[in-house]
Amino acid sequence: MSHGDHQLGIYLSGMLEGKTPELTTDLAGLEERAREVLSPEALGYIVPSAGSGSTARDNRAAFDRRKIVPRMLRGVDRERDLSCEILGTRLPAPIAVAPMGVQTIAHPDGELATARAAAAVGVPYIHSTAAAHSFEQVAEAADGPRWYQLYWPTDQDVCRSFLDRAKAAGYTALLLTLDTTLLGWRPADLDRGYLPFLTGTGLANYLTDPHFQGVDNPIPHWAQMFPNPGLSWDDLPFLRRHWDGPIVLKGIMSADDAKLAAEHGMDGVVVSNHGGRQVDGALAALDALPAVAEAVGDRLTVLFDSGVRTGADVVKALALGARAVLVGRPVLYGLALGGQAGVEHVLRCLMGELDITLALSGYSSQHELSPSALA
Ligand code: FNR
């Protein structure tokens, strides 16, 4: 079986049973549909980006600017295997679900539905520190590959506790997000005065932590430990001491920082500008990717996110040196529109479109891609 067989399955359901997909297979078009079902607050939190939105637009423009050059008559395998090993985890395709907080604002099942969908498809679910369900609740709900994304709190005891709990609950790789030591300037939320954390939504990991028990005012307690702009390269050895799996730095946008990550013994980087939600005016993530891949691709696992919407986008990011991509908002759009089934739909369509685009471009697997696959 190839992931692209999902396409035939859809056609057969249509022609033999008269059944059409509940959600559109046009993954780039999902946002429009999701806008119709999200509450105004959730829409404002999920869809727009920081500042004027210029970086978010550039993320997309960078994909649109690059073009695949399909090659012909290359004897592509009839059955294609896109599986790969990333950070010690076997993936069915080079795709993982990006860490995203407060998923209950998109759908009441939130992270539980997303994790179940990821497990059903076999791709890693990455648990955000800012999740609306705890490490343990997610682990209980879904038995798939799972990684943990850390927002490093200034309280080192809480930090250690998060690492211990993640490990105990079966999260195998750690992603440290570097681009959000403070929240970016987000006009859509500011204009509504909307920040879900201030009513406790998105604080499940914190509020269930032993270090929060008996605290009189847990939300102000969280609010004073979240901002951490003082974080520096010197802090990384602490993570090594308290986490024995792979460690990946998320939010790397320059070759110089990527080299520092390698010098500091990290296992990987995620080239990402947080989907344009943090530094408005930052360069497109895809434009940052080639230099990072060139600098550390032979030493570190280079992952990518920010702007991936279609299978063709995945091909482009892989051609420019990413080993795998994380997919962000489209997963939340699927979640908002159809809960667990909606997320499964998004992942299966993305893997199907990736497989078909690869095959039609002349490749039997992503391992054959290089920058020369693009014009
Ligand atoms: C995010 N992202 C994010 N990243 C992270 O490391 N921890 C988090 O808690 C969150 N939370 C979050 C919430 C929402 C609503 C969004 C849309 C994004 C960023 C995410 O991991 C990823 O970097 C981007 O979403 C990738 O860009 P696209 O795919 O959304 O364009």
Side-chain angles (χ1 to χ4, degrees), residues 127 129 134-136 139 146-153 155-174 205 208-211 238-245 247:
H127 187 63
T129 296
S134 69
F135 301 101
E136 295 82 8
R146 48 186 179 271
W147 300 342
Y148 169 50
Q149 174 268 320
L150 176 67
Y151 282 137
W152 194 318
D155 183 325
Q156 301 306 318
D157 291 336
V158 173
C159 183
R160 266 189 73 172
S161 179
F162 283 175
L163 298 176
D164 291 344
R165 289 171 64 195
K167 220 177 309 170
Y171 298 79
T172 57
L174 180 68
N205 292 316
T208 56
D209 197 82
H211 292 91
F238 177 94
L239 280 193
R240 260 296 167 238
R241 282 201 300 282
H242 298 291
W243 182 267
D244 44 24
I247 305 178

Side-chain angles (χ1 to χ4, degrees), residues 152-159 161-162 197-198 200 203 205-228:
W152 194 318
T154 49
D155 183 325
Q156 301 306 318
D157 291 336
V158 173
C159 183
S161 179
F162 283 175
F197 309 106
L198 296 183
L203 299 187
N205 292 316
Y206 297 88
L207 300 180
T208 56
D209 197 82
H211 292 91
F212 270 68
Q213 306 318 306
V215 171
D216 281 343
N217 293 304
I219 293 171
H221 191 55
W222 164 79
Q224 57 81 27
M225 74 172 68
F226 181 82
N228 195 357

